[in-house]
Amino acid sequence: MEFIKTNINQISIKEDTLYDIIYNLFFFAKLKESEEDIKNGRVCTLEELREYIDELEERYENSNTR
């Protein structure tokens, strides 16, 4: 609940729609999660990411050629 209180102050409630507010809260939650992942060493290098994307692309291409 503290997370919501802290981050709701960063949102312009008068100008934003409910959708905008929910989106921003989700965005801030993901940022917080990412910060915790980085602090705990749960990260990957750009090379690892490229390999993962290449694997996904290969699987996608193989599934569409059947």
Side-chain angles (χ1 to χ4, degrees):
M1 192 65 164
E2 188 62 34
F3 172 81
I4 293 174
K5 288 180 188 176
T6 302
N7 289 292
I8 202 80
N9 292 329
Q10 297 178 21
I11 298 170
S12 176
I13 295 174
K14 293 179 182 174
E15 297 175 11
D16 290 344
T17 65
L18 179 59
Y19 174 83
D20 293 332
I21 293 168
I22 292 169
Y23 177 86
N24 286 331
L25 286 174
F26 178 80
F27 179 77
F28 292 135
K30 286 299 180 182
L31 282 179
K32 179 78 172 159
E33 184 180 311
S34 296
E35 288 174 354
E36 291 172 8
D37 285 345
I38 291 168
K39 286 178 188 174
N40 294 316
R42 292 187 301 262
V43 296
C44 70
T45 64
L46 290 176
E47 291 80 17
E48 291 170 331
L49 177 61
R50 182 73 250 166
E51 289 173 14
Y52 177 72
I53 291 171
D54 290 343
E55 289 173 14
L56 289 176
E57 288 174 343
E58 185 177 322
R59 282 190 222 148
Y60 178 76
E61 288 171 4
N62 289 340
S63 69
N64 286 329
T65 57
R66 294 179 190 176

